[in-house]
Amino acid sequence: MPRENKTRYALLGMLTYKPMSGYDMKKMSDHSIGHFWNENYGNIYPVLKKMEAKNLVTMTREEQDGAPTRKVYTITEEGRAAFSQWLSRPPEPAILREELLLQVFFGQWTNPKLITAKIREEDERCRSIIRELEGIRDHMDSGGNIREVPENSRQVMREGTPYWRHTVEFGLHYYSGIRDWCAETIKALEERRGEKDENNRIGRKSQG
Amino acid sequence: MPRENKTRYALLGMLTYKPMSGYDMKKMSDHSIGHFWNENYGNIYPVLKKMEAKNLVTMTREEQDGAPTRKVYTITEEGRAAFSQWLSRPPEPAILREELLLQVFFGQWTNPKLITAKIREEDERCRSIIRELEGIRDHMDSGGNIREVPENSRQVMREGTPYWRHTVEFGLHYYSGIRDWCAETIKALEERRGEKDENNRIGRKSQG
DNA sequence: CCAAAATATATCAAACAGATATATACAAGA
DNA sequence: TCTTGTATATATCTGTTTGATATATTTTGG
């Protein structure tokens, strides 16, 4: 028996705020939970279809001026029940498959400068994400993100903000940890390369 | 076009040390790279078959006393070339889908004590893994893990040890970052609950 | 007018996870 | 002796997931 689909709960959770289309949910996903939850259209649309079939959501078509017709999904009471039930269950731990680390592990088979360059890339990527997350955290109380939400959902989002903040703090810890490892590892690799160069300059004393 | 299979390179990399069976590779995977690379039999056997068909590895059957017959795989020159080529390519960044964080994000819809308990579980899990990794790091130079390797592979593994150490340091940073977030978040959640209790005790002054 | 961008929905093929199954061999307990 | 449990070893299954790709409507800019 394979894994249980979790996209379902991410979508149901978003729909507790307001009815949305698949496209809206992708955008909200990218902006609010994207730092810890990857989601893509390849999942969203088939899962929405399945949830509609199981009456976890209902769908209405909404025509709009200046943009194509949308399919707007609304959570049902059954959907709310399924969502709450999931919330009471233990989460599954993360599964890691870090390709960079696999390449580092086998690093003796390639140019050490190449390994260092890759870790530098990852370092930059982490720093970039950290800056984004800091921006989110620092503007979280301005209420800017609430503006697009109907008045009756504002209280709900206000109550959810501290939890959102905890997830942004998670992202900051996560990427900071990796960024720090990057810095240490680059330093260590360059020192080891320095030692090697030193050995070479002294006169090929080392067999290494 | 879907993702490219990466199990292939994990297996080829392991085979650079010595010929191995699928079962051996799973064990080595669990012990040496498991902290950053999940692998399972469901992938290993089909991928080995495919690699054999493409002449990246060859397979011989090996009978042994007191245990069932094994299929031992050996890397070919083509396999080595494919592996080296992969090493020179940029790695793909990690994809995150942290179910705990998804539950934290929607935490307003459930009992705050439940959220705290879940974070406590994750905290303990991280601490346990950190202890393991520290054990690995601290015994890394004892050469204990080299003992099962043929004499002619020892130099190779010795040269790989510093890279292995970097991956263990990665794991330590990764899990420490999350452990620290857990501690902070538990504290914050309990303080917020303390404030709420305080408000209630004072006389229902708060509308929250 | 055409191309690019935005809004919006949808599908595809392979990778991947972990449960499950089967087979060989040995050890411990009834 | 037989059964159960454990270790060694190979293998399959089914659903989730990834991200590339495709299609359609509408607006904007050259």
Side-chain angles (χ1 to χ4, degrees), chain A residues 34-100:
Chain A
H35 53 287
F36 67 86
W37 191 262
N38 186 63
E39 212 39 277
N40 59 76
Y41 294 121
N43 271 341
I44 289 175
Y45 290 113
V47 168
L48 281 172
K49 239 189 229 174
K50 283 194 188 115
M51 289 202 292
E52 195 193 357
K54 293 193 168 189
N55 199 42
L56 301 182
V57 297
T58 56
M59 188 274 287
T60 55
R61 286 169 206 271
E62 177 180 293
E63 299 200 355
Q64 52 186 349
D65 292 341
T69 298
R70 307 169 351 131
K71 290 186 173 179
V72 176
Y73 294 83
T74 304
I75 191 171
T76 62
E77 284 307 313
E78 278 167 85
R80 286 181 192 273
F83 179 67
S84 291
Q85 193 264 336
W86 164 73
L87 270 176
S88 66
R89 287 187 354 233
E92 288 177 357
I95 289 148
L96 265 62
R97 267 171 86 89
E98 297 270 354
E99 192 177 357
L100 170 61

Side-chain angles (χ1 to χ4, degrees), chain B residues 1 3 21-23 42 45 49 64 68 70-71 95 97:
Chain B
M1 277 303 109
R3 284 175 293 177
S21 67
Y23 187 75
Y45 289 113
K49 239 186 226 172
Q64 51 188 348
R70 306 168 353 130
K71 291 184 172 180
I95 288 146
R97 268 172 85 90

Side-chain angles (χ1 to χ4, degrees), chain B residues 8-158:
Chain B
R8 175 187 307 144
Y9 303 115
L11 299 184
L12 286 174
M14 284 187 257
L15 290 174
T16 60
Y17 294 120
K18 62 168 182 172
M20 289 191 222
S21 67
Y23 187 75
D24 288 333
M25 283 185 252
K26 176 65 163 73
K27 285 202 301 185
M28 182 176 171
S29 175
D30 290 343
H31 291 135
S32 306
I33 63 178
H35 53 286
F36 67 86
W37 191 263
N38 186 61
E39 215 37 281
N40 58 77
Y41 294 120
N43 272 341
I44 290 176
Y45 289 113
V47 168
L48 281 172
K49 239 186 226 172
K50 284 195 186 110
M51 288 202 292
E52 196 192 356
K54 292 192 168 190
N55 200 39
L56 301 182
V57 298
T58 56
M59 187 274 287
T60 54
R61 285 168 206 269
E62 178 180 291
E63 299 199 353
Q64 51 188 348
D65 291 342
T69 299
R70 306 168 353 130
K71 291 184 172 180
V72 176
Y73 293 85
T74 304
I75 191 170
T76 62
E77 285 309 313
E78 278 167 84
R80 284 180 193 274
F83 179 67
S84 290
Q85 194 264 337
W86 165 73
L87 271 175
S88 67
R89 289 191 348 237
E92 287 177 1
I95 288 146
L96 265 62
R97 268 172 85 90
E98 295 271 355
E99 194 179 353
L100 171 62
L101 269 290
L102 194 59
Q103 293 188 335
V104 168
F105 184 84
F106 293 117
Q108 76 199 90
W109 302 122
T110 188
N111 185 346
K113 281 185 181 174
L114 190 53
I115 295 288
T116 304
K118 287 175 181 182
I119 298 175
R120 266 212 176 92
E121 289 277 341
E122 179 66 10
D123 187 46
E124 292 298 334
R125 189 181 77 96
C126 288
R127 288 170 191 273
S128 171
I129 294 173
I130 286 166
R131 282 193 294 271
E132 275 184 47
L133 291 175
E134 280 170 345
I136 293 176
R137 184 193 59 187
D138 295 343
H139 290 87
M140 194 166 271
D141 293 321
S142 70
N145 58 306
I146 302 188
R147 214 165 288 154
E148 305 169 359
V149 186
E151 183 68 42
N152 62 357
S153 296
R154 291 190 184 179
Q155 173 75 359
V156 168
M157 297 203 77
R158 214 170 278 120

Side-chain angles (χ1 to χ4, degrees), chain A residues 3-199:
Chain A
R3 283 178 293 176
E4 185 198 1
N5 179 279
K6 300 291 161 52
T7 292
R8 174 189 306 142
Y9 303 114
L11 299 185
L12 287 174
M14 284 188 258
L15 290 174
T16 60
Y17 294 121
K18 61 168 183 171
M20 290 190 221
S21 66
Y23 187 77
D24 288 333
M25 282 185 252
K26 176 66 164 72
K27 285 202 300 183
M28 182 177 172
S29 174
D30 289 343
H31 291 134
S32 305
I33 63 178
H35 53 287
F36 67 86
W37 191 262
N38 186 63
E39 212 39 277
N40 59 76
Y41 294 121
N43 271 341
I44 289 175
Y45 290 113
V47 168
L48 281 172
K49 239 189 229 174
K50 283 194 188 115
M51 289 202 292
E52 195 193 357
K54 293 193 168 189
N55 199 42
L56 301 182
V57 297
T58 56
M59 188 274 287
T60 55
R61 286 169 206 271
E62 177 180 293
E63 299 200 355
Q64 52 186 349
D65 292 341
T69 298
R70 307 169 351 131
K71 290 186 173 179
V72 176
Y73 294 83
T74 304
I75 191 171
T76 62
E77 284 307 313
E78 278 167 85
R80 286 181 192 273
F83 179 67
S84 291
Q85 193 264 336
W86 164 73
L87 270 176
S88 66
R89 287 187 354 233
E92 288 177 357
I95 289 148
L96 265 62
R97 267 171 86 89
E98 297 270 354
E99 192 177 357
L100 170 61
L101 269 290
L102 194 59
Q103 293 187 337
V104 169
F105 184 83
F106 293 115
Q108 76 199 91
W109 303 122
T110 189
N111 185 346
K113 281 184 180 175
L114 189 53
I115 296 288
T116 305
K118 287 175 180 183
I119 298 174
R120 266 211 177 90
E121 289 278 342
E122 179 66 9
D123 186 48
E124 291 299 334
R125 190 180 77 96
C126 290
R127 288 171 191 271
S128 171
I129 294 173
I130 287 165
R131 281 192 295 270
E132 275 185 46
L133 291 175
E134 281 171 343
I136 294 176
R137 185 193 58 188
D138 294 344
H139 290 88
M140 195 167 271
D141 294 319
S142 70
N145 58 305
I146 302 189
R147 212 165 289 153
E148 303 169 1
V149 185
E151 183 68 44
N152 62 358
S153 295
R154 291 190 182 177
Q155 173 75 0
V156 169
M157 298 204 76
R158 215 170 276 120
E159 286 181 13
T161 298
Y163 291 102
W164 182 22
R165 182 186 298 274
H166 291 312
T167 69
V168 174
E169 292 290 347
F170 171 89
L172 287 167
H173 277 83
Y174 174 90
Y175 288 105
S176 297
I178 298 177
R179 178 203 59 197
D180 292 347
W181 170 82
C182 288
E184 281 184 21
T185 307
I186 288 167
K187 189 162 176 258
L189 285 171
E190 292 187 332
E191 282 176 355
R192 274 189 58 252
R193 216 159 62 238
E195 290 173 3
K196 284 191 174 179
D197 289 347
E198 193 70 21
N199 287 339

